[in-house]
Amino acid sequence: MSKGLGTTVGRSSRRRVLRLAGGGITMAALGAGLTGCEDELATGGEGSTPPPRSASPEDGKVPEDGRAPEPLWTKSTSAQTYGDNDELVAVDGVVIASGDPLAAFDGATGEERWSLPGGAVPGAPLLLGDGTLYLESGKYDGSVAGYVPGSGKEAWRSRLGKEYRQPRPVAVDAEQVYVIAEILEADGSSHTNVIAALNSGTGKVAWKEQRDLGTQQNGVHAAVRGRYLVYTDFKNNLTVRDTATGKQVWTQKTTKTSYGPFVVHQDLVIVPQGQRLQAFALSDGSEKWSVRAEEFTTFREPTLLEDVLYIADSGRTLWAVEPGTGKKIWQSTALKDAGGQVPRQFVKVGGTLYGATDLDKQGGVHAFDAKGGGLRWTFNDKSGDYHAWLVATDGKRVFALHGKKLHALPA
């Protein structure tokens, strides 16, 4: 399970702005500026994305005329998301979006299966491990909870301790849940934070280690591979710890801040850093391979699916890369030719790769031929909502979340 974000030349991405907004900047101050910060380089102008079909596809099949399918169902949700990939999950026959109340919808029908008031902190990750959904408590009571995804029933709960505030799960494996929490001072303030492991069976603290002064609780993305816990943060740090003891194995500064997901594959951690995509050895941090995008373009977030790494760059080129070597499998400029927006999250069903983009317009969910990157269609609900699109799949359907609207598309 893994949890950076590329930027357009000379400015921060809008997704970064929205995530900061979730941390305290009011949306009222941002509203007017967000609609005007689309640039023509990213969108390709008006009219380049074909409109959805006016009629639903026969028997839920995807149409073959290059137009997007109609949703199988659409539901209004309580979703409160900030654009991270782990804010929408599909598991055990349900699809769940971060929000309050936390609600699960039946993947086939869209009917609500369960609802949990105060179940999760909006924007916090929905972490799945060993059949359990792990959440930072939306009651802000210092606890971390685990639920059965199909029913919403509580299965596990743990507290790090009264001297810590807001423990937030960042990664999970078969034995432990890894959290980051603020360390409270006597006056109730906090200047440091701790990273800790909670036993996923008993809830007991396995280990805890104070992080360096100046590091932050928020903005952390993490993944676990065997004995290695890997994470990045807003301070340009790439850090690896031992999962058994919490001791730091190595840390190094990255050339670009990582705002979003990276990829862990076998003994490598693969991180986008502006114009470069770099792979480092988990054991010692040595660089194993590097791929460079064209001048003035930056890589977005990578996704690893069926041992292929998919990633787009700001020049609207889609890449498929061998994660072990960095060797290019294919490159596609189909998105650039169509004037579509750059995807930053991917899921795959059969021979189709689905990519979710940031804000409107000319974005939404793109469907690509997974063998060569050809663009098949683009789905957009035309709502103009400022939220990033998110996608998840149960292998039969593709779920697309845009603001408060959750769509189920035939796969």
Side-chain angles (χ1 to χ4, degrees):
M1 299 190 66
S2 88
K3 291 276 151 280
L5 180 64
T7 57
T8 7
V9 178
R11 61 172 190 173
S12 297
S13 79
R14 286 155 297 157
R15 177 163 166 250
R16 164 69 170 144
V17 172
L18 286 174
R19 289 191 61 77
L20 288 175
I25 301 174
T26 63
M27 291 310 299
L30 290 171
L34 288 172
T35 57
C37 64
E38 263 318 330
D39 61 72
E40 290 302 310
L41 175 62
T43 65
E46 298 284 352
S48 54
T49 304
R53 290 174 63 90
S54 57
S56 298
E58 182 181 355
D59 297 325
K61 296 180 179 179
V62 176
E64 298 180 356
D65 58 3
R67 294 180 180 270
E70 286 289 318
L72 300 170
W73 53 260
T74 296
K75 292 289 182 178
S76 294
T77 74
S78 59
Q80 294 172 279
T81 62
Y82 298 100
D84 249 340
N85 297 356
D86 50 20
E87 295 174 306
L88 179 71
V89 297
V91 60
D92 290 352
V94 298
V95 55
I96 308 168
S98 179
D100 187 11
L102 188 70
F105 296 89
D106 187 283
T109 67
E111 296 302 314
E112 185 176 294
R113 291 262 290 268
W114 55 262
S115 179
L116 190 65
V121 175
L126 308 177
L127 295 182
L128 294 168
D130 198 25
T132 303
L133 174 68
Y134 293 98
L135 306 170
E136 175 185 1
S137 174
K139 297 179 181 178
Y140 300 93
D141 57 0
S143 67
V144 179
Y147 299 89
V148 179
S151 66
K153 293 182 178 180
E154 184 175 315
W156 178 90
R157 186 171 289 270
S158 177
R159 284 178 172 82
L160 187 58
K162 293 182 179 180
E163 65 270 37
Y164 305 102
R165 180 170 58 196
Q166 291 183 260
R168 171 167 294 198
V170 294
V172 60
D173 59 22
E175 298 179 354
Q176 296 180 147
V177 181
Y178 303 90
V179 302
I180 289 181
E182 297 175 348
I183 301 174
L184 289 175
E185 305 292 338
D187 61 359
S189 65
S190 178
H191 310 289
T192 53
N193 60 82
V194 65
I195 186 165
L198 306 174
N199 185 285
S200 58
T202 66
K204 292 182 178 180
V205 179
W207 53 258
K208 54 187 175 183
E209 293 285 331
Q210 183 171 330
R211 298 177 69 214
D212 294 341
L213 186 67
T215 57
Q216 299 175 353
Q217 178 193 13
N218 295 319
V220 172
H221 291 82
V224 185
R225 172 70 68 181
R227 60 180 287 253
Y228 299 112
L229 170 65
V230 192
Y231 58 92
T232 59
D233 60 33
F234 284 166
K235 296 290 186 177
N236 294 53
N237 297 307
L238 173 61
T239 303
V240 175
R241 291 184 180 270
D242 188 297
T243 56
T245 66
K247 298 300 181 183
Q248 187 169 285
V249 179
W250 57 266
T251 188
Q252 65 185 35
K253 289 291 184 180
T254 56
T255 56
K256 297 285 184 180
T257 300
S258 179
Y259 294 131
F262 53 85
V263 160
V264 173
H265 172 73
Q266 297 180 353
D267 59 349
L268 299 175
V269 52
I270 306 168
V271 184
Q273 300 187 71
Q275 193 181 354
R276 298 178 71 193
L277 180 66
Q278 291 178 280
F280 302 97
L282 284 173
S283 59
D284 59 12
S286 58
E287 184 180 300
K288 294 303 182 182
W289 58 257
S290 177
V291 173
R292 186 177 293 272
E294 292 185 3
E295 191 175 8
F296 305 123
T297 61
T298 56
F299 281 112
R300 303 301 299 271
E301 299 95 322
T303 303
L304 185 65
L305 300 169
E306 299 176 359
D307 289 329
V308 177
L309 187 150
Y310 297 98
I311 191 168
D313 63 40
S314 61
R316 292 178 289 175
T317 297
L318 184 62
W319 303 57
V321 176
E322 291 182 357
T325 65
K327 181 180 178 182
K328 179 179 64 179
I329 300 173
W330 52 256
Q331 277 182 299
S332 171
T333 61
L335 192 62
K336 181 189 297 184
D337 299 338
Q341 195 178 120
V342 180
R344 33 146 298 272
Q345 180 198 8
F346 299 95
V347 296
K348 184 175 180 287
V349 182
T352 303
L353 180 70
Y354 301 88
T357 74
D358 265 335
L359 318 181
D360 286 336
K361 52 196 176 185
Q362 307 311 123
V365 176
H366 301 306
F368 302 95
D369 175 7
K371 292 184 177 180
L375 180 61
R376 291 176 171 170
W377 47 261
T378 297
F379 172 80
N380 193 313
D381 58 14
K382 305 301 181 183
S383 69
D385 192 288
Y386 59 80
H387 285 85
W389 287 81
L390 297 174
V391 289
T393 184
D394 60 2
K396 300 176 182 179
R397 293 159 289 265
V398 173
F399 303 103
L401 179 68
H402 189 210
K404 301 287 185 182
K405 295 295 184 182
L406 178 62
H407 311 278
L409 304 175

Coordinates of all heavy atoms in Angstrom, one line a residue, residues 94-147:
V94 N -18.2 -2.8 -1.6 CA -18.7 -1.5 -1.3 C -17.6 -0.5 -1.8 O -16.5 -0.8 -2.0 CB -19.0 -1.2 0.2 CG1 -20.1 -2.1 0.6 CG2 -17.7 -1.4 1.0
V95 N -18.1 0.8 -2.0 CA -17.1 1.9 -2.3 C -17.3 2.9 -1.2 O -18.5 3.3 -0.9 CB -17.4 2.4 -3.7 CG1 -18.8 2.8 -3.9 CG2 -16.5 3.6 -4.0
I96 N -16.2 3.4 -0.7 CA -16.2 4.4 0.4 C -15.4 5.6 0.1 O -14.3 5.5 -0.4 CB -15.6 3.7 1.7 CG1 -16.3 2.3 1.9 CG2 -15.8 4.6 2.9 CD1 -15.6 1.5 3.0
A97 N -15.9 6.8 0.4 CA -15.2 8.0 0.2 C -15.1 8.7 1.5 O -16.0 8.7 2.3 CB -15.9 8.9 -0.8
S98 N -13.9 9.3 1.8 CA -13.6 10.0 3.0 C -14.7 11.1 3.2 O -14.9 11.9 2.3 CB -12.2 10.6 3.0 OG -12.0 11.3 4.2
G99 N -15.2 11.2 4.4 CA -16.2 12.3 4.7 C -16.9 12.0 6.0 O -16.5 11.1 6.7
D100 N -17.8 12.9 6.4 CA -18.5 12.8 7.6 C -20.0 13.1 7.4 O -20.3 14.2 7.0 CB -17.9 13.7 8.7 CG -18.5 13.5 10.1 OD1 -19.3 12.5 10.3 OD2 -18.3 14.4 10.9
P101 N -20.9 12.1 7.6 CA -20.5 10.8 8.0 C -19.8 9.9 6.9 O -20.0 10.2 5.8 CB -21.9 10.1 8.3 CG -22.8 10.9 7.4 CD -22.3 12.3 7.3
L102 N -19.0 9.0 7.4 CA -18.4 8.1 6.5 C -19.4 7.1 6.0 O -20.1 6.4 6.8 CB -17.2 7.3 7.2 CG -16.3 6.5 6.3 CD1 -15.5 7.4 5.4 CD2 -15.4 5.6 7.2
A103 N -19.6 7.0 4.7 CA -20.7 6.2 4.1 C -20.1 5.2 3.1 O -19.2 5.5 2.3 CB -21.7 7.0 3.5
A104 N -20.7 4.0 3.1 CA -20.3 2.9 2.2 C -21.5 2.7 1.2 O -22.6 2.5 1.7 CB -19.9 1.7 2.9
F105 N -21.3 2.6 -0.1 CA -22.3 2.4 -1.0 C -22.1 1.0 -1.7 O -20.9 0.6 -2.0 CB -22.3 3.5 -2.1 CG -22.7 4.8 -1.5 CD1 -21.7 5.7 -1.1 CD2 -24.0 5.3 -1.5 CE1 -22.0 6.9 -0.5 CE2 -24.3 6.5 -1.0 CZ -23.3 7.3 -0.5
D106 N -23.1 0.3 -2.0 CA -23.1 -0.9 -2.7 C -22.5 -0.7 -4.1 O -23.0 0.1 -4.8 CB -24.5 -1.6 -2.8 CG -24.4 -3.0 -3.4 OD1 -24.3 -3.1 -4.6 OD2 -24.6 -3.9 -2.6
G107 N -21.4 -1.4 -4.5 CA -20.8 -1.2 -5.7 C -21.7 -1.5 -6.9 O -21.6 -0.8 -8.0
A108 N -22.6 -2.4 -6.8 CA -23.5 -2.8 -7.9 C -24.6 -1.9 -8.1 O -25.0 -1.5 -9.2 CB -23.9 -4.2 -7.8
T109 N -25.2 -1.4 -7.0 CA -26.5 -0.7 -7.1 C -26.4 0.8 -6.6 O -27.3 1.6 -7.0 CB -27.6 -1.3 -6.2 OG1 -27.2 -1.2 -4.8 CG2 -27.7 -2.8 -6.5
G110 N -25.4 1.1 -5.9 CA -25.2 2.5 -5.4 C -26.0 2.7 -4.1 O -26.0 3.9 -3.6
E111 N -26.7 1.7 -3.6 CA -27.5 1.9 -2.4 C -26.6 2.0 -1.2 O -25.5 1.3 -1.1 CB -28.5 0.7 -2.2 CG -29.6 0.7 -3.2 CD -30.4 1.9 -3.3 OE1 -30.8 2.4 -2.2 OE2 -30.6 2.4 -4.4
E112 N -26.9 2.9 -0.2 CA -26.1 3.0 1.0 C -26.2 1.7 1.8 O -27.2 1.2 2.2 CB -26.5 4.2 1.8 CG -25.6 4.5 3.0 CD -26.0 5.7 3.8 OE1 -25.9 6.8 3.2 OE2 -26.5 5.6 4.9
R113 N -25.0 1.2 2.2 CA -24.9 0.0 3.0 C -24.8 0.3 4.5 O -25.3 -0.4 5.3 CB -23.8 -0.9 2.5 CG -24.0 -1.5 1.1 CD -24.5 -2.9 1.3 NE -23.5 -3.8 1.8 CZ -22.7 -4.5 1.0 NH1 -22.8 -4.5 -0.3 NH2 -21.8 -5.3 1.5
W114 N -24.0 1.3 4.8 CA -23.8 1.7 6.2 C -23.3 3.1 6.2 O -22.7 3.6 5.2 CB -22.9 0.8 7.0 CG -21.5 0.5 6.4 CD1 -21.2 -0.6 5.7 CD2 -20.4 1.3 6.6 NE1 -19.8 -0.5 5.4 CE2 -19.3 0.6 5.9 CE3 -20.1 2.5 7.3 CZ2 -18.0 1.1 5.9 CZ3 -18.8 3.0 7.2 CH2 -17.8 2.3 6.6
S115 N -23.5 3.8 7.4 CA -23.0 5.2 7.6 C -22.5 5.3 9.0 O -23.0 4.7 9.9 CB -24.2 6.1 7.4 OG -23.8 7.5 7.6
L116 N -21.4 6.0 9.1 CA -20.7 6.1 10.4 C -20.4 7.6 10.7 O -19.4 8.1 10.3 CB -19.4 5.3 10.3 CG -18.6 5.1 11.6 CD1 -19.5 4.2 12.6 CD2 -17.3 4.4 11.3
P117 N -21.3 8.2 11.5 CA -21.0 9.6 11.9 C -19.7 9.7 12.7 O -19.4 8.9 13.6 CB -22.2 10.0 12.8 CG -23.3 9.0 12.3 CD -22.6 7.8 12.0
G118 N -18.9 10.7 12.4 CA -17.6 10.9 13.1 C -16.6 9.8 12.8 O -15.7 9.6 13.6
G119 N -16.8 9.0 11.7 CA -16.0 7.9 11.5 C -14.6 8.2 11.0 O -13.7 7.4 11.3
A120 N -14.4 9.3 10.3 CA -13.1 9.6 9.8 C -12.9 11.1 9.7 O -13.8 11.9 9.6 CB -12.9 9.0 8.4
V121 N -11.6 11.5 9.8 CA -11.3 12.9 9.6 C -11.2 13.2 8.1 O -10.5 12.5 7.4 CB -9.9 13.2 10.2 CG1 -9.5 14.6 9.9 CG2 -10.0 13.0 11.7
P122 N -12.0 14.2 7.6 CA -12.0 14.4 6.2 C -10.6 14.7 5.7 O -9.8 15.5 6.3 CB -12.9 15.7 6.1 CG -13.8 15.6 7.2 CD -13.0 15.0 8.3
G123 N -10.2 14.1 4.6 CA -8.9 14.2 4.0 C -7.9 13.2 4.5 O -6.8 13.0 3.9
A124 N -8.2 12.5 5.6 CA -7.3 11.5 6.1 C -7.4 10.3 5.3 O -8.4 10.0 4.7 CB -7.6 11.2 7.6
P125 N -6.3 9.5 5.2 CA -6.3 8.3 4.4 C -7.3 7.2 4.9 O -7.5 7.1 6.1 CB -4.9 7.8 4.4 CG -4.3 8.4 5.7 CD -5.0 9.7 5.9
L126 N -7.9 6.5 4.0 CA -8.6 5.3 4.3 C -7.7 4.1 4.0 O -7.4 3.8 2.8 CB -9.9 5.2 3.4 CG -10.8 6.4 3.3 CD1 -11.9 6.2 2.4 CD2 -11.3 6.7 4.7
L127 N -7.1 3.5 5.0 CA -6.1 2.5 4.9 C -6.6 1.1 5.0 O -7.3 0.8 6.0 CB -4.9 2.7 5.9 CG -4.1 4.0 5.7 CD1 -3.0 4.0 6.8 CD2 -3.5 4.1 4.3
L128 N -6.4 0.2 4.1 CA -6.9 -1.1 4.1 C -5.7 -2.1 4.4 O -4.6 -2.0 3.8 CB -7.5 -1.5 2.7 CG -8.8 -0.7 2.4 CD1 -9.1 -1.0 0.9 CD2 -9.9 -1.2 3.3
G129 N -5.9 -3.0 5.3 CA -4.9 -4.0 5.6 C -5.6 -5.2 6.3 O -6.3 -5.1 7.2
D130 N -5.3 -6.4 5.7 CA -5.8 -7.6 6.3 C -7.3 -7.6 6.6 O -7.8 -8.0 7.6 CB -5.0 -7.9 7.6 CG -5.1 -9.4 8.1 OD1 -5.4 -10.2 7.2 OD2 -5.0 -9.6 9.3
G131 N -8.0 -7.1 5.6 CA -9.5 -7.1 5.7 C -10.1 -6.1 6.6 O -11.3 -6.2 7.0
T132 N -9.3 -5.1 7.0 CA -9.7 -4.1 8.0 C -9.5 -2.7 7.4 O -8.5 -2.4 6.7 CB -9.0 -4.2 9.3 OG1 -9.2 -5.5 9.9 CG2 -9.5 -3.1 10.3
L133 N -10.4 -1.8 7.6 CA -10.3 -0.4 7.2 C -9.9 0.4 8.4 O -10.6 0.5 9.4 CB -11.6 0.1 6.7 CG -11.7 1.6 6.3 CD1 -10.9 2.0 5.1 CD2 -13.2 2.0 6.1
Y134 N -8.7 1.0 8.3 CA -8.1 1.8 9.5 C -8.3 3.3 9.3 O -8.0 3.8 8.2 CB -6.6 1.5 9.6 CG -6.4 0.0 10.1 CD1 -6.0 -0.9 9.1 CD2 -6.5 -0.3 11.4 CE1 -5.8 -2.3 9.5 CE2 -6.3 -1.7 11.8 CZ -5.9 -2.6 10.9 OH -5.7 -3.9 11.3
L135 N -8.7 4.0 10.3 CA -9.1 5.4 10.2 C -8.6 6.2 11.4 O -8.6 5.7 12.6 CB -10.6 5.5 10.2 CG -11.4 4.8 9.1 CD1 -12.9 4.9 9.4 CD2 -11.1 5.3 7.7
E136 N -8.2 7.4 11.2 CA -8.1 8.4 12.3 C -9.5 8.7 12.7 O -10.3 9.1 11.9 CB -7.3 9.6 11.8 CG -7.2 10.7 12.8 CD -6.6 12.0 12.2 OE1 -6.2 12.0 11.0 OE2 -6.4 12.9 13.0
S137 N -9.7 8.7 14.0 CA -11.0 8.9 14.5 C -11.5 10.3 14.2 O -10.9 11.3 14.5 CB -11.1 8.7 16.0 OG -12.4 9.0 16.5
G138 N -12.7 10.4 13.6 CA -13.3 11.7 13.4 C -13.9 12.4 14.6 O -14.4 13.5 14.6
K139 N -13.8 11.7 15.8 CA -14.3 12.3 17.0 C -13.1 13.0 17.7 O -13.3 13.6 18.8 CB -14.8 11.2 17.9 CG -16.0 10.4 17.4 CD -16.5 9.3 18.3 CE -17.7 8.6 17.7 NZ -18.1 7.5 18.6
Y140 N -11.9 13.0 17.1 CA -10.8 13.7 17.6 C -10.5 13.4 19.1 O -10.3 14.2 19.9 CB -11.0 15.2 17.5 CG -11.1 15.6 16.0 CD1 -12.4 15.8 15.4 CD2 -10.0 15.9 15.2 CE1 -12.5 16.1 14.1 CE2 -10.1 16.2 13.9 CZ -11.4 16.4 13.3 OH -11.5 16.7 12.0
D141 N -10.6 12.1 19.4 CA -10.5 11.6 20.8 C -9.1 11.0 21.0 O -8.9 10.3 22.0 CB -11.6 10.7 21.2 CG -11.7 9.5 20.3 OD1 -10.9 9.4 19.3 OD2 -12.6 8.7 20.5
G142 N -8.2 11.1 20.1 CA -6.9 10.5 20.2 C -6.8 9.0 19.9 O -5.8 8.4 20.2
S143 N -7.8 8.5 19.3 CA -7.8 7.1 19.0 C -7.7 6.8 17.5 O -7.9 7.7 16.6 CB -9.1 6.4 19.5 OG -10.3 6.9 18.7
V144 N -7.3 5.6 17.2 CA -7.3 5.0 15.8 C -8.2 3.8 15.8 O -8.1 3.0 16.7 CB -5.8 4.7 15.4 CG1 -5.8 4.1 14.0 CG2 -4.9 5.9 15.5
A145 N -9.0 3.7 14.8 CA -10.0 2.6 14.8 C -9.9 1.8 13.5 O -9.5 2.3 12.5 CB -11.4 3.2 15.0
G146 N -10.3 0.5 13.7 CA -10.4 -0.4 12.5 C -11.8 -0.9 12.3 O -12.5 -1.2 13.3
Y147 N -12.3 -1.0 11.1 CA -13.7 -1.4 10.8 C -13.7 -2.5 9.8 O -12.8 -2.5 8.9 CB -14.5 -0.2 10.4 CG -14.6 0.9 11.4 CD1 -13.7 2.0 11.4 CD2 -15.7 1.0 12.3 CE1 -13.7 3.0 12.4 CE2 -15.8 2.0 13.2 CZ -14.8 3.0 13.3 OH -14.9 4.0 14.2

